[in-house]
Amino acid sequence: MSAINETPKHTLSIVVPVYNEEANLRHFYEAVCHEMAKLPDYAWELIFVDDGSADKSRAILHELEQKDCRVQPMLLARNSGHQLALTCGLDHADGDVVITMDGDMQHPPEMIPALLRDWEDGYEVVQTIREATEDASWLKRTTSASYYKFLNIISEVPVQPGGSDFRLMDHKVVVAFRRYREHARFIRGLVGSMGFRQKQVHFTAPPRYAGVSKFSPRKMWRLAVDGVFTCSTFPLRIGLYVGFFSMMVSVVLFLHVLFETFVREDTVAGWPTIIACVAFFGGLQLMILGIIGEYLGRTYEETKRRPLYLLERGKPADCGEAAPTGFAPPAGAAKGQVNGHAV
């Protein structure tokens, strides 16, 4: 019996941010279709959020949409970044359960059935933990591990080392997530701080199917900084700690000056001490001002209340009357009218 004639018990939305992934999209779509064919109890949609791609990604998404109306492309007006592209997809995902993942095959589609089984067991968030990446360099592995250790030291909420944006979320978790509207966002930290019943699943990320990573060192640094300032106010307290330390150093320097002046009585002009103090405290003040400025700048950006992203094209209209609301039937089904919209 075809999936059209069956009544699926659940609906699944798969959200995939896309940025210059023309070499991966068709293969990823076929891999998802292969895995979902094993799950007749699920009607599903594949929401691709194109983040201002400059290659042929949009043309390929249009081609896949024409082939299978379960493919739901959304086009951002400009490149807004991976985290905001994910946010856009979550804002428009209608499924009983939502899975977010990348489309370069480093988030294996064959894990989808296992994630759904955990959801059926009652877990509301299933977070995948990347134990290793087969093509990752030693430097990247080391810096990533060190970053998460540092982040967990200063963060008010735990952030799982190796956590990725490959996760399952129940619909009520997605609805709760939509209330978080800050611009500088670190979704791994946000989801971890939300609570709900969570489970972790470990996996080894395979190499990319094709192409190269679009996360440049600059983008990785920006995401790392967002993680620090989103998850913690500890940097603001650095001024207190370093100021106390500086005061103690100043006392020691003052005692040294007294010793040189009244005991040894052979001091020359004290310009070395003065220069050292000026340089030390000047650098300290600039560092503290920079930290305060970082928080003030983020506060300023939030007070402008600008939209998180702008859509060039929103989620396509639903297609197929036999499918659950918001979901399309398998490829080849006739298109019709849903809620007054041509599809």
Side-chain angles (χ1 to χ4, degrees), residues 35-320:
E35 295 302 324
M36 293 309 302
K38 305 174 185 177
L39 302 169
D41 287 343
Y42 286 86
W44 56 280
E45 63 178 355
L46 188 52
I47 303 176
F48 288 105
V49 184
D50 184 85
D51 191 22
S53 294
D55 62 359
K56 298 179 181 178
S57 293
R58 294 193 172 192
I60 294 173
L61 291 178
H62 179 69
E63 171 192 319
L64 293 176
E65 179 189 13
Q66 295 299 310
K67 173 183 177 182
D68 186 345
C69 56
R70 292 172 300 189
V71 175
Q72 304 275 289
M74 302 181 67
L75 310 180
L76 297 184
R78 67 176 183 86
N79 179 254
S80 299
H82 183 270
Q83 300 293 283
L84 290 181
L86 272 180
T87 299
C88 174
L90 289 170
D91 285 346
H92 295 84
D94 300 321
D96 300 327
V97 58
V98 179
I99 293 177
T100 60
M101 60 193 304
D102 292 341
D104 56 9
M105 300 302 292
Q106 290 195 297
H107 294 166
E110 55 265 27
M111 290 184 63
I112 292 176
L115 298 182
L116 292 172
R117 283 195 297 270
D118 288 331
W119 176 69
E120 291 171 358
D121 288 340
Y123 291 99
E124 294 158 326
V125 177
V126 184
Q127 174 66 61
T128 67
I129 306 300
R130 185 181 58 252
E131 292 184 339
T133 302
E134 292 182 3
D135 59 349
S137 66
W138 174 87
L139 178 61
K140 184 174 182 180
R141 293 195 301 268
T142 303
T143 54
S144 177
S146 301
Y147 170 73
Y148 278 105
K149 288 181 181 179
F150 170 72
L151 187 59
N152 277 297
I153 290 173
I154 68 171
S155 177
E156 286 82 5
V157 295
V159 180
Q160 178 63 45
S164 68
D165 288 314
F166 182 22
R167 68 176 62 84
L168 175 147
M169 302 167 68
D170 184 86
H171 180 70
K172 67 180 178 182
V173 181
V174 174
V175 171
F177 175 81
R178 292 172 184 168
R179 299 180 64 182
Y180 291 76
R181 305 313 290 175
E182 60 260 41
H183 283 71
R185 50 184 46 219
F186 186 64
I187 295 179
R188 301 168 197 180
L190 292 179
V191 174
S193 69
M194 290 173 63
F196 296 98
R197 191 180 180 199
Q198 301 198 15
K199 180 180 180 180
Q200 298 175 351
V201 176
H202 295 258
F203 77 104
T204 298
R208 288 176 58 91
Y209 175 75
V212 296
S213 174
K214 307 309 183 297
F215 255 95
S216 63
R218 177 176 174 271
K219 290 182 177 180
M220 292 179 67
W221 171 254
R222 182 175 180 179
L223 179 62
V225 171
D226 285 343
V228 170
F229 288 102
T230 297
C231 297
S232 175
T233 57
F234 175 81
L236 285 173
R237 294 194 293 272
I238 290 179
L240 175 63
Y241 303 141
V242 178
F244 178 78
F245 174 77
S246 300
M247 181 183 69
M248 301 304 296
V249 172
S250 300
V251 171
V252 174
L253 286 174
F254 179 69
L255 292 176
H256 171 70
V257 171
L258 292 179
F259 175 80
E260 292 289 335
T261 302
F262 296 106
V263 178
R264 299 184 62 178
E265 298 182 351
D266 59 350
T267 57
V268 190
W271 67 267
T273 302
I274 294 175
I275 293 299
C277 289
V278 169
F280 177 78
F281 289 108
L284 173 64
Q285 291 169 357
L286 288 175
M287 182 187 74
I288 300 303
L289 286 174
I291 293 174
I292 295 174
E294 184 70 29
Y295 278 99
L296 286 177
R298 291 165 184 266
T299 302
Y300 170 67
E301 290 296 327
E302 297 297 336
T303 58
K304 291 190 288 189
R305 302 185 65 83
R306 292 181 177 177
L308 297 183
Y309 52 82
L310 295 175
L311 284 169
E312 180 178 320
R313 174 196 166 181
K315 185 178 177 182
D318 304 332
C319 59

